Amino acid sequence: ILCLRSPRNPEQKIIKRVIALEGDIIKTIGYKKKYVKVPHGHIWVEGDHHGHSFDSNAFGPVSLGLLHARATHILWPPQRWQKLQPMLPPERKPLHREQE
């Protein structure tokens, strides 16, 4: 889970889950292409609320240059305090991952 600058508004920071890395092929959810191969120097990010999230399905692959920080905990509101788990929903795993 990363904090990054919004590709549409660099003044805004957004927190999203990394779904795919450069070279991965991902089946998108509502993006202009059904399948995308993540280009070199980019990642595919998604929010946890599919269909209601401003993420790569809206703006495409994200340049690594927009990465700001790694999110590790929810601190606010206090009743939601928790450590974030680095899990990838099984239905969102890349279809193909390039071998290094």
Side-chain angles (χ1 to χ4, degrees), residues 22-92:
E22 57 187 26
D24 291 347
I25 297 173
I26 189 78
K27 183 176 181 183
T28 68
I29 304 173
Y31 187 59
K32 59 187 173 186
K33 296 179 184 175
K34 188 171 184 176
Y35 297 95
V36 170
K37 181 177 181 181
V38 181
H40 178 74
H42 290 72
I43 55 176
W44 189 268
V45 297
E46 293 181 358
D48 289 343
H49 303 288
H50 302 300
H52 303 288
S53 181
F54 183 62
D55 58 22
S56 286
N57 289 295
F59 47 71
V62 175
S63 170
L64 293 174
L66 294 175
L67 296 183
H68 182 70
R70 186 173 144 238
T72 60
H73 292 77
I74 295 174
L75 301 176
W76 196 260
Q79 63 269 26
R80 290 194 60 214
W81 283 5
Q82 62 182 296
K83 182 176 182 176
L84 294 171
Q85 300 302 320
M87 74 95 180
L88 182 61
E91 70 277 6
R92 298 308 299 142

